[in-house]
Amino acid sequence: MSFTISKRRVSLFDMLFAFVIIAGGLFAYKRYANFMDYYEEGILLGAIAAIVWFGRFWPAMRVFLPISALFALAGISLYQGNLANGQSVFWLKYILSSQSAVMWMCVLYLLATLMYWLGMLRRSNTALDIASNLTWAAASAALVSKLVRWYESYLIGADVGHIPVSNLYEVFILFCMITTLMYLYYEQKFQNQGKAKTMGAFVLPIIMAAVGFILWYSVDRQAHEIQPLIPALQSWWMKIHVPANFVGYGAFALSAGLAAAQLLVSKGILASRLPSYETLGEVMYKAISIGFLFFTIATILGAMWAAEAWGGYWSWDPKETWALIVWLNYASWLHMRLVKGWRGNVLAWWALIGLFVTSFAFIGVNMFLSGLHSYGGL
């Protein structure tokens, strides 16, 4: 995946988007500067620059991000500084509170999955277009839920407020959103090669597995209730380490879905309905490449956080050990493809098995092992 920005001229829309993002960032700083330290001010500045760049790199973000922000701001304004309004104001209770937005996200993902499969099996471009739009809507609902939940945490108390990436419930929503946006990027990027949207039939089921976990975790464990951060997570490192980590997780999950599709095409199953064997392999490679990059960055950031929190960069904690296993797995995958020239089913099987390795590092460690990262347990 190349990060080279196209050489097209900067349009009025480009400048307007940049102005809106910068103005929003300055407003956030003016209003919340008292809650920020120097590190968080730096994160805000970096986020503004990154979003402006992202809108230039992927023009769809110039629509997606403002629309999601407007819905989130609508929900925030309806609270009027009172968390109890979430149970009495219609638009909050049923649509715009963080938990309502998550429920809509789950419904939209289910409908999108069904439409992707219908479109693929019936060769219906209309169904595939609907599926793609539903997927965009689901990603928007996920982002709205994140922004509104962030605000809700501060309504509980200034000492409770935090970015919503602190527990399994919150990061599973983040996983859904990031995986979705990465998929939608490649869906658009490869649309000229034909049948790109049918890839969603294999990517969305992985996201649906996460949706199933979110629903179970909400109903059975009441995980949607906002809790104060434990001391180990009260750090600005969390704001950059966790999102970077989940770009990696999302990319690896995406690659596994594509690997499953590629293996079916290699057997002649659904070959006429899916992109070519080579296209699926190329998208899988690009996803793993960007995932490996961000996972490497996240691992480095995690080591620096560990040094500050526990006095050492590495302690062979189970979570750290399995993160290393995941890193080595995909480093080997990329080495075999780039240096040894491997192609085909062996890499597809490797990427598919890699999903189980990554899943254990993501959630299995929390379920079956204990260590310094046990605060993320079920």
Side-chain angles (χ1 to χ4, degrees), residues 7-307:
K7 295 181 180 180
R8 65 179 175 80
R9 297 178 60 184
V10 177
S11 68
L12 180 62
F13 198 14
D14 290 324
M15 292 186 289
L16 179 60
F17 176 76
F19 173 79
V20 169
I21 297 303
I22 293 171
L26 292 175
F27 172 78
Y29 177 77
K30 181 179 179 180
R31 183 162 184 177
Y32 301 110
N34 291 335
F35 296 98
M36 298 181 184
D37 56 27
Y38 291 115
Y39 298 109
E40 289 164 330
E41 291 174 355
I43 292 172
L44 176 62
L45 180 63
I48 293 171
I51 293 172
V52 170
W53 174 86
F54 199 31
R56 173 71 174 166
F57 172 74
W58 187 14
M61 290 296 99
R62 298 180 307 190
V63 177
F64 173 80
L65 292 175
I67 288 177
S68 300
L70 286 174
F71 275 105
L73 288 171
I76 288 170
S77 65
L78 288 171
Y79 272 109
Q80 298 181 338
N82 184 4
L83 190 62
N85 285 345
Q87 297 300 318
S88 59
V89 176
F90 175 86
W91 290 102
L92 285 174
K93 186 174 182 179
Y94 295 105
I95 299 177
L96 292 175
S97 70
S98 65
Q99 183 61 10
S100 297
V102 169
M103 293 299 104
W104 279 108
M105 177 198 79
C106 296
V107 171
L108 290 166
Y109 275 129
L110 174 60
L111 294 175
T113 302
L114 295 175
M115 293 304 294
Y116 271 122
W117 274 92
L118 176 65
M120 180 184 66
L121 295 176
R122 298 287 298 273
R123 304 178 191 271
S124 171
N125 289 329
T126 300
L128 290 171
D129 289 341
I130 292 172
S132 186
N133 290 331
L134 287 170
T135 305
W136 276 108
S140 181
L143 180 55
V144 169
S145 76
K146 284 289 177 190
L147 296 173
V148 175
R149 185 179 177 89
W150 199 344
Y151 177 75
E152 290 170 350
S153 70
Y154 277 95
L155 288 182
I156 296 174
D159 58 334
V160 176
H162 60 272
I163 184 173
V165 293
S166 64
N167 57 41
L168 283 176
Y169 172 81
E170 293 172 348
V171 298
F172 260 89
I173 297 170
L174 180 66
F175 169 81
C176 291
M177 183 182 73
I178 289 177
T179 308
T180 300
L181 291 177
M182 293 193 71
Y183 162 71
L184 289 169
Y185 171 78
Y186 289 117
E187 182 184 271
Q188 288 190 350
K189 183 176 177 65
F190 285 83
Q191 62 183 346
N192 293 332
Q193 298 189 24
K195 297 178 284 190
K197 289 183 179 179
T198 59
M199 295 188 298
F202 288 86
V203 176
L204 267 289
I206 296 176
I207 298 174
M208 277 303 301
V211 166
F213 177 87
I214 290 168
L215 292 172
W216 168 78
Y217 211 31
S218 299
V219 174
D220 189 70
R221 302 297 177 90
Q222 299 298 303
H224 61 280
E225 296 179 358
I226 298 173
Q227 301 293 333
L229 285 178
I230 64 173
L233 296 177
Q234 294 174 5
S235 170
W236 62 272
W237 286 103
M238 184 179 71
K239 298 177 176 65
I240 53 177
H241 167 69
V242 175
N245 221 22
F246 277 85
V247 174
Y249 284 144
F252 299 150
L254 169 61
S255 69
L258 298 173
Q262 189 182 35
L263 289 169
L264 289 178
V265 169
S266 72
K267 300 295 184 182
I269 302 172
L270 300 175
S272 63
R273 291 174 168 83
L274 287 165
S276 69
Y277 184 86
E278 292 74 18
T279 297
L280 290 169
E282 182 67 14
V283 181
M284 178 175 63
Y285 159 66
K286 290 180 179 295
I288 288 178
S289 297
I290 194 66
F292 180 74
L293 171 63
F294 275 88
F295 196 79
T296 301
I297 293 171
T299 302
I300 295 171
L301 291 172
M304 296 171 70
W305 185 5

